[in-house]
Amino acid sequence: MKSLKSLLIPFIIMIILVIVAVVALVTNSKQSDTVETGTDNRLEVININNSNISSLEVINRDGTGIGFQSTVGADGVIEWSLLDQYYEDVDINSSGVYNWVVVLSSFMADVDLGNSADLDLAEYGLDDPLYTIIINCYDGTQSTIYVGNKTTDGNSCYFMVEGNPDVYTIVAAKYTYCGYQLIDFLATATFDFEYGSLSTVEFKRFSDDLDIVATCELYETGDPLFTAISPFKINCSTYFANLIDNIKTLEITSYLDIPDDMLPDYGLDNPAYEFTFTMDDGRVITITLSTLIDGNYYGTCSEFDGYFQINEMQISGLNTQLLILLDNYLVYYPASQMSKITGTYGDETFVYDIETNDSISADDATALLNMRNAKVFTSEGRSYAAILYESLITINISGIDTEADPEFEPEVEFEYITSGHETITLSFVPKDNNNYYVFYNGEYSSFTVSRSELFNDGGTNTFNYGAWTAYELTVEAIDNAVSGIYDIPEETEAA
């Protein structure tokens, strides 16, 4: 009897241990169904292989929605397109759709709230779900997922899967992705086109009423040359070319759906900038941009509906000063493109005949000033023919005066005739003692130049002569050259 008791005691202990183990197992199992957000033990409620998905559609509570279908190309690459009921003639970012499908076809729950029969589904937005996700697969199966409200902290949302009675929570990103609209799937857009097909471009900046219209031609290198035709007639600078290239190659990656009553919040009720590209075939592309708002510009483009957003780092030069957008020089041609320049000041006139395929100082170049050879040199090899040509062809603009209406009574005139028989006449009318109004082919150009651009005496600094004083210097050099060499006397150097 004593031996029987000794065997019974260990047996009872073993039974107790088994019961404890079972209870622990059940408890752990239940705890694994209610793991908090952020643990590594989330529940895989549904996870569908993306290569098996033939279509994915999200239907909103109000019956609207968005959906895409997949096709597999001959190269095995999956492409996504809008379902027929949502079709619009727009370019779709297929990779963006793919990412959306990946997010909405896998639901790893953070918390299992239990059987829906024991819960008030209205509390979770699941009695009439906010979103219904319908996934069709190539194997003929269909899965339906219901997404409800966000949790009170906004970090998660509630969901159910058809055929599964339980309600779960998951990261709020699922809720956000369910709310995507067509605008979120538009393909990345650029306004890129060939400069060779561009006729004119107009840049408006409404803050200072700037409005430049420029033509576009191509250098032999294929680079664009912009020439302003309104309100000025002058070549545009590289700063203007860079600004236009910024817009031409702008990449739009972010689209916005902005209600009309919110357009003022994005600066789109009164845009700050406008670009109009007119192509040779008559096609017109118009782009508008808002002022800078919190590091971003908002815009529209006539090529597509809706609005877009770009970062300030994507574009520069919008607020470049007008004078910097234009070429520094009133007129500029390389010597190889110039045939003749005539100058008049008071009763004196000169004629400068030029013929060269290279620079004006080239050995075979012809440079005749009043029929006299202007190819006289300094001891250092600087050519007076070049000094004169450079001074005539690089007259710098000093200012703009659009309000003036000067009488056409020129004091100085230069006429330029190119080798292509184009004639440009620059006429200089006194504005005050230090400045001149500039007329271009008899019309007021709105530009002014400093008197020094015409009459500065650079002394021995041959790069600092005004256009007319450079003529006088060249005559002096021709008159006084010895064996084709003339050096400016030190005593004539300007103070």
Side-chain angles (χ1 to χ4, degrees):
M1 193 71 173
K2 184 176 179 181
S3 61
L4 181 59
K5 285 184 178 181
S6 63
L7 293 173
L8 186 58
I9 292 172
F11 177 75
I12 293 172
I13 293 173
M14 182 181 69
I15 293 298
I16 292 172
L17 291 175
V18 170
I19 293 172
V20 170
V22 171
V23 171
L25 180 62
V26 172
T27 302
N28 288 338
S29 176
K30 185 174 182 179
Q31 287 177 345
S32 69
D33 285 350
T34 58
V35 176
E36 294 299 323
T37 303
T39 68
D40 295 328
N41 297 316
R42 293 180 301 163
L43 300 171
E44 183 180 285
V45 180
I46 186 169
N47 186 11
I48 301 174
N49 189 321
N50 302 125
S51 63
N52 191 34
I53 297 175
S54 60
S55 68
L56 192 151
E57 179 182 10
V58 176
I59 302 174
N60 304 330
R61 178 183 284 171
D62 62 6
T64 61
I66 190 73
F68 298 89
Q69 58 192 354
S70 69
T71 55
V72 182
D75 55 1
V77 176
I78 297 176
E79 292 293 331
W80 292 90
S81 59
L82 285 161
L83 287 170
D84 292 344
Q85 61 267 39
Y86 301 111
Y87 179 77
E88 289 191 32
D89 187 16
V90 293
D91 292 330
I92 297 298
N93 180 358
S94 189
S95 62
V97 176
Y98 173 77
N99 293 333
W100 180 73
V101 169
V102 169
V103 170
L104 295 183
S105 60
S106 174
F107 280 71
M108 306 286 288
D110 297 321
V111 177
D112 183 350
L113 298 175
N115 195 304
S116 58
D118 302 325
L119 302 172
D120 180 4
L121 292 182
E123 180 182 342
Y124 305 104
L126 290 169
D127 58 329
D128 183 12
L130 291 176
Y131 303 106
T132 299
I133 305 170
I134 300 174
I135 304 173
N136 289 299
C137 293
Y138 285 112
D139 61 12
T141 60
Q142 183 182 86
S143 300
T144 303
I145 304 165
Y146 305 106
V147 177
N149 300 331
K150 287 185 178 181
T151 56
T152 53
D153 62 9
N155 295 325
S156 303
C157 64
Y158 303 104
F159 79 95
M160 295 179 64
V161 175
E162 189 174 82
N164 183 336
D166 283 10
V167 175
Y168 303 93
T169 66
I170 197 167
V171 290
K174 305 292 183 179
Y175 180 100
T176 301
Y177 271 66
C178 284
Y180 275 22
Q181 302 175 37
L182 178 59
I183 197 169
D184 298 300
F185 299 102
L186 296 182
T188 297
T190 63
F191 312 121
D192 210 357
F193 47 79
E194 295 296 327
Y195 277 124
S197 62
L198 176 62
S199 176
T200 64
V201 58
E202 182 175 13
F203 170 44
K204 292 182 180 180
R205 184 169 61 208
F206 297 103
S207 61
D208 58 358
D209 295 323
L210 182 147
D211 187 351
I212 298 176
V213 180
T215 59
C216 180
E217 298 179 3
L218 297 182
Y219 289 108
E220 292 181 358
T221 60
D223 295 322
L225 169 64
F226 294 101
T227 303
I229 57 174
S230 175
F232 318 107
K233 293 181 175 63
I234 191 171
N235 287 342
C236 297
S237 71
T238 55
Y239 291 94
F240 183 86
N242 290 339
L243 172 60
I244 299 305
D245 200 60
N246 257 216
I247 296 296
K248 172 182 174 291
T249 58
L250 195 62
E251 186 174 276
I252 305 303
T253 58
S254 179
Y255 299 91
L256 301 171
D257 186 11
I258 305 174
D260 289 347
D261 60 352
M262 292 186 66
L263 291 179
D265 297 337
Y266 294 86
L268 290 170
D269 55 333
N270 290 300
Y273 313 94
E274 181 178 284
F275 297 84
T276 302
F277 299 90
T278 302
M279 315 309 290
D280 289 336
D281 61 4
R283 175 172 159 239
V284 177
I285 303 172
T286 301
I287 299 160
T288 65
L289 294 174
S290 71
T291 188
L292 185 63
I293 301 174
D294 296 330
N296 294 298
Y297 294 100
Y298 300 91
T300 66
C301 177
S302 59
E303 293 290 279
F304 54 79
D305 295 329
Y307 307 95
F308 62 82
Q309 171 186 314
I310 59 173
N311 187 271
E312 63 179 318
M313 301 300 291
Q314 292 179 253
I315 187 171
S316 61
L318 287 171
N319 296 310
T320 302
Q321 294 178 8
L322 172 57
L323 273 178
I324 296 177
L325 291 174
L326 304 176
D327 201 330
N328 293 337
Y329 307 134
L330 289 169
V331 61
Y332 181 84
Y333 289 92
S336 60
Q337 296 179 23
M338 188 58 60
S339 174
K340 179 183 292 187
I341 303 175
T342 301
T344 303
Y345 174 42
D347 295 330
E348 190 167 0
T349 297
F350 70 78
V351 178
Y352 192 22
D353 291 296
I354 299 162
E355 184 177 350
T356 180
N357 293 319
D358 194 358
S359 74
I360 200 165
S361 301
D363 292 341
D364 60 351
T366 298
L368 300 177
L369 182 58
N370 294 333
M371 300 304 294
R372 301 169 71 195
N373 185 11
K375 293 179 69 177
V376 177
F377 295 84
T378 67
S379 296
E380 288 77 25
R382 175 90 160 120
S383 167
Y384 287 92
I387 295 170
L388 175 57
Y389 186 76
E390 291 165 7
S391 299
L392 288 167
I393 212 72
T394 60
I395 300 174
N396 274 284
I397 298 169
S398 61
I400 295 176
D401 189 344
T402 57
E403 302 299 322
D405 185 22
E407 294 291 329
F408 184 63
E409 297 177 354
E411 182 176 283
V412 181
E413 282 191 326
F414 298 115
E415 181 185 75
Y416 304 81
I417 302 176
T418 71
S419 54
H421 308 292
E422 180 184 4
T423 300
I424 299 169
T425 301
L426 296 181
S427 306
F428 301 87
V429 174
K431 176 181 180 181
D432 51 41
N433 290 335
N434 297 312
N435 298 281
Y436 287 87
Y437 295 113
V438 180
F439 283 73
Y440 186 97
N441 289 343
E443 295 183 9
Y444 177 47
S445 67
S446 297
F447 297 124
T448 63
V449 299
S450 169
R451 179 179 176 82
S452 63
E453 291 296 312
L454 304 181
F455 296 110
N456 191 62
D457 184 346
T460 56
N461 183 357
T462 59
F463 294 94
N464 196 27
Y465 271 79
W468 191 264
T469 48
Y471 154 67
E472 295 175 330
L473 174 65
T474 304
V475 171
E476 178 184 323
I478 294 172
D479 288 344
N480 296 285
V482 177
S483 299
I485 301 296
Y486 176 75
D487 290 317
I488 302 169
E490 291 289 338
E491 61 267 19
T492 65
E493 185 174 354

